[in-house]
Amino acid sequence: MGSLQEEERSLLEDGLIQKEGDGRYTGDGSVDIKGNPVLKQNTGNWRACPFILGTECCERLAYYGIATNLVTYLTHKLHEGNVSAARNVTTWSGTCYLTPLIGAVLADAYWGRYWTIAVFSIIYFIGMGTLTLSAAVPALKPPQCVDSVCPSASPAQYGVFFFGLYLIALGTGGIKPCVSSFGADQFDDTDKMERVKKGSFFNWFYFSINIGALISSSLIVWVQDNAGWGLGFGIPTLFMGIAIFSFFSGTPLYRFQKPGGSPVTRMCQVLVATFRKWNLDVPKDSSLLYETQDKVSAIKGSRKLEHSDELTCLDKAAVISETETTTGDFSNPWRVCTVTQVEELKILIRMFPIWATGIVFSAVYAQMSTMFVEQGTMMDTSIGAFTIPPASLSTFDVISVIFWVPVYDRFIVPIARRFTGKERGFSELQRMGIGLFLSVLCMSAAAVVEINRLNLAKELDLVDKEVAVPMTILWQIPQYFLLGAAEIFTFIGQLEFFYDQSPDAMRSLCSALSLLTTSLGNYLSSLILTIVTYFSTKDGKAGWIPDNLNGGHLDYFFWLLAGLSLLNMLVYVVCAKRYKKKKAS
């Protein structure tokens, strides 16, 4: 025993292990690639982030390089009909936001975020390469149209194309929920200065996404339309290769969080243990509930969570029964769970109302690629000798994000910090609330533009004519600009919230759940459109959104979404006030 103490003292003197309160090592349990404790000065922080931000920028450029113009390729090159092409695009896009659940579970339970990103990036690259070959090799693409006759693609040609496309969907499922969390892992939660820098990381992470999207929606789309699809898909494939190279290059500098086992299994264990002990009383003194005596949590790679007074029925899972007291056996988590494990489930339940309010915001965001474009097609798209495609106006949303991120990080945060006293200027909940308010203004601005457009159509007697109204499309810029501002508050706030408030061993899963709001928001938008069309076209009426928008009331639809957004914001305020933040040891 004495020799062990002497050895430990020697190691402390040599600086090889962390002394209590020693600030040289990270305090959040992070390790290096070999599983050893890491020194702060040599790893993580902003020195590791350029590799991660470069990876995200190139990966998003590759993704949007495929997604932005995919419907055009399906209709013009694979000769699909408009409905079939639109259905294939939306199905693929929805899959891209569902597969993150797969990647998240693998990252949190087994592989960790680094290896999940690495494996799925290679799958992604193979999918990109397959897609490029399908567009470049003559045998893998249908022949050109002759006059009005367009030969359909063969089953083999369809097979190769969609195999590549869905490999990309699978690959992005391992990257989306892990990259932002892995980047945030580079900042020590227990260090006050690094916590502030983590807030900036999420801003610049979203900035890098939009840089990639801007290049894709402009340069890559132009290449695809003018220089050929083989090159148009080949360039994004090249950038995906650069993303992989960038990611692996930073390996010696990264900090890693150990996977903690299946979060789904742990949640099921709490529910089963609670049911088994339903007849037992929860002690008033929470210290009598079961928890490991060590400083380290029983969940690998996780800090202990302090007991909360909410959802006390779940505390039954941590009640120590007479059988366990007698035998001293606490090894079966299906019978008794630690307080930390119970608190994990409580946190997810508490986060649910906040998560649900993000669905309505995503429904508003979905209008950028749907109803905003439809509105733009009925406006004057010419600027001098140039014609602006209505869909390209979404570039102003990207420009808005690129403008607002540095403004928010460099100016708004320092000013807000003086008034709120918070490290990041606003809390995550406050930031999301501001974004929800801006979404109401965005839809209101779109409604006002539509009212003026319809009034001009009446004045010029164009109500019954399916022609564009002589009102410049540039009047749409404010709604796109407001949507971009709402994004940097809501979406980046969500990234921060779901990382900071999630249990340590569930961060990838919670990031995947935040991405799921985008998918559900698109479905909600479709549902609202279906309901509006059903009720507004009764008794033979044209409806709010007819084929000829000059004879409809798209402004009513925008006001409906503005009203839903306002109601959603009020519900959010109530939920945010009641929300209790997690407390980790």
Side-chain angles (χ1 to χ4, degrees):
M1 187 69 178
S3 62
L4 183 62
Q5 290 176 339
E6 289 173 4
E7 182 180 355
E8 183 175 333
R9 189 182 302 112
S10 174
L11 288 170
L12 281 169
E13 289 172 354
D14 292 339
L16 297 178
I17 64 175
Q18 184 177 0
K19 188 177 180 181
E20 187 75 25
D22 188 349
R24 292 178 300 163
Y25 291 83
T26 57
D28 60 356
S30 55
V31 295
D32 63 14
I33 188 70
K34 296 179 181 178
N36 301 317
V38 289
L39 286 165
K40 287 185 181 181
Q41 64 179 9
N42 297 335
T43 59
N45 218 312
W46 279 114
R47 68 177 63 82
C49 288
F51 300 98
I52 298 171
L53 294 176
T55 298
E56 181 63 10
C57 181
C58 292
E59 185 274 326
R60 288 291 87 187
L61 187 152
Y63 174 81
Y64 287 114
I66 302 300
T68 303
N69 217 18
L70 181 59
V71 70
T72 304
Y73 184 81
L74 290 172
T75 53
H76 291 182
K77 296 301 178 180
L78 290 185
H79 312 313
E80 287 194 348
N82 288 333
V83 174
S84 177
R87 184 169 57 244
N88 279 323
V89 170
T90 54
T91 301
W92 176 75
S93 180
T95 304
C96 289
Y97 283 95
L98 290 176
T99 52
L101 293 173
I102 299 172
V105 171
L106 286 173
D108 284 340
Y110 308 109
W111 295 351
R113 285 181 268 280
Y114 175 84
W115 288 112
T116 302
I117 295 170
V119 171
F120 279 79
S121 292
I122 294 170
I123 295 172
Y124 198 132
F125 183 75
I126 294 171
M128 295 288 297
T130 304
L131 205 67
T132 302
L133 289 175
S134 74
V137 177
L140 296 179
K141 55 183 180 180
Q144 296 289 332
C145 296
V146 179
D147 296 327
S148 60
V149 179
C150 297
S152 299
S154 68
Q157 291 166 341
Y158 267 123
V160 172
F161 177 81
F162 282 103
F163 176 72
L165 199 63
Y166 278 88
L167 274 183
I168 293 171
L170 178 60
T172 194
I175 298 173
K176 278 178 181 286
C178 296
V179 174
S180 63
S181 296
F182 186 68
D185 286 345
Q186 308 311 309
F187 300 91
D188 186 358
D189 270 341
T190 64
D191 186 299
K192 183 178 179 181
M193 294 300 296
E194 290 198 16
R195 282 202 308 270
V196 175
K197 293 176 182 177
K198 184 188 295 184
S200 290
F201 167 77
F202 285 116
N203 293 330
W204 292 106
F205 178 81
Y206 205 75
F207 181 88
S208 66
I209 289 175
N210 282 271
I211 289 292
L214 179 63
I215 295 171
S216 290
S217 62
S218 52
L219 178 63
I220 302 300
V221 169
W222 184 89
V223 169
Q224 290 168 348
D225 288 344
N226 295 275
W229 289 90
L231 183 61
F233 286 161
I235 293 174
T237 303
L238 174 63
F239 272 95
M240 189 61 215
I242 295 172
I244 295 172
F245 177 78
S246 173
F247 180 72
F248 282 115
S249 297
T251 300
L253 299 175
Y254 294 150
R255 297 173 184 173
F256 303 82
Q257 292 291 339
K258 297 177 181 178
S262 172
V264 177
T265 301
R266 290 199 303 275
M267 288 187 284
C268 291
Q269 287 170 343
V270 172
L271 294 174
V272 170
T274 299
F275 179 76
R276 281 179 165 175
K277 296 184 175 181
W278 192 255
N279 294 326
L280 297 182
D281 294 326
V282 177
K284 293 182 179 179
D285 184 358
S286 62
S287 65
L288 298 176
L289 297 172
Y290 175 62
E291 181 58 277
T292 57
Q293 297 304 308
D294 301 330
K295 291 183 179 180
V296 181
S297 168
I299 303 169
K300 193 176 180 181
S302 175
R303 291 168 293 172
K304 286 184 178 179
L305 295 170
E306 295 182 13
H307 177 264
S308 63
D309 295 327
E310 292 182 315
L311 301 167
T312 52
C313 62
L314 295 175
D315 288 337
K316 291 178 183 290
V319 172
I320 301 174
S321 66
E322 290 184 11
T323 303
E324 286 140 6
T325 303
T326 304
T327 62
D329 182 12
F330 299 95
S331 62
N332 188 352
W334 295 97
R335 290 187 176 277
V336 60
C337 303
T338 63
V339 169
T340 296
Q341 190 173 341
V342 173
E343 288 301 317
E344 279 190 330
L345 181 55
K346 285 186 181 181
I347 287 172
L348 287 184
I349 295 173
R350 288 202 300 265
M351 291 169 75
F352 179 78
I354 304 295
W355 171 83
T357 57
I359 297 173
V360 176
F361 178 82
S362 294
V364 169
Y365 183 72
Q367 305 314 309
M368 181 174 64
S369 58
T370 54
M371 289 300 106
F372 284 7
V373 177
E374 294 288 343
Q375 183 185 40
T377 59
M378 301 302 288
M379 301 175 75
D380 183 8
T381 59
S382 60
I383 306 294
F386 298 98
T387 299
I388 301 176
S392 69
L393 228 66
S394 61
T395 304
F396 284 99
D397 169 79
V398 178
I399 293 172
S400 176
V401 171
I402 293 172
F403 168 79
W404 278 110
V405 165
V407 168
Y408 180 87
D409 198 57
R410 303 301 183 194
F411 298 102
I412 296 178
V413 168
I415 294 171
R417 191 181 292 143
R418 295 178 185 176
F419 293 95
T420 64
K422 298 183 184 296
E423 297 170 348
R424 301 178 189 175
F426 299 105
S427 69
E428 303 98 326
L429 293 173
Q430 289 172 334
R431 184 170 186 170
M432 285 190 284
I434 294 171
L436 295 181
F437 173 71
L438 290 173
S439 71
V440 178
L441 297 183
C442 168
M443 296 314 303
S444 299
V448 169
V449 169
E450 184 64 10
I451 288 172
N452 286 311
R453 195 191 70 79
L454 290 175
N455 286 339
L456 187 58
K458 290 178 181 177
E459 291 176 11
L460 299 176
D461 196 25
L462 299 175
V463 173
D464 297 323
K465 300 175 183 177
E466 194 173 347
V467 295
V469 171
M471 176 180 177
T472 178
I473 195 173
L474 297 182
W475 280 108
Q476 283 191 311
I477 290 177
Q479 65 205 55
Y480 280 102
F481 204 72
L482 283 168
L483 188 59
E487 274 186 74
I488 71 113
F489 281 95
T490 301
F491 282 152
I492 301 178
Q494 282 182 342
L495 287 173
E496 289 187 76
F497 177 78
F498 284 107
Y499 181 87
D500 285 347
Q501 293 305 308
S502 63
D504 292 345
M506 287 188 179
R507 280 174 167 163
S508 298
L509 178 62
C510 289
S511 293
L513 291 175
S514 71
L515 291 168
L516 189 60
T517 60
T518 302
S519 180
L520 296 178
N522 279 279
Y523 294 146
L524 177 61
S525 176
S526 297
L527 177 62
I528 294 172
L529 276 169
T530 302
I531 294 173
V532 164
T533 302
Y534 175 78
F535 284 103
S536 65
T537 56
K538 277 188 172 183
D539 302 324
K541 295 179 181 177
W544 291 1
I545 313 173
D547 292 336
N548 175 20
L549 291 180
N550 291 339
H553 271 290
L554 184 58
D555 56 326
Y556 291 176
F557 178 74
F558 288 150
W559 283 124
L560 174 63
L561 283 179
L564 287 175
S565 297
L566 179 61
L567 179 62
N568 183 59
M569 185 188 72
L570 296 176
V571 172
Y572 172 84
V573 170
V574 174
C575 295
K577 283 186 175 180
R578 293 182 177 179
Y579 182 80
K580 291 186 178 180
K581 293 187 175 182
K582 77 170 185 181
K583 293 181 180 179
S585 62

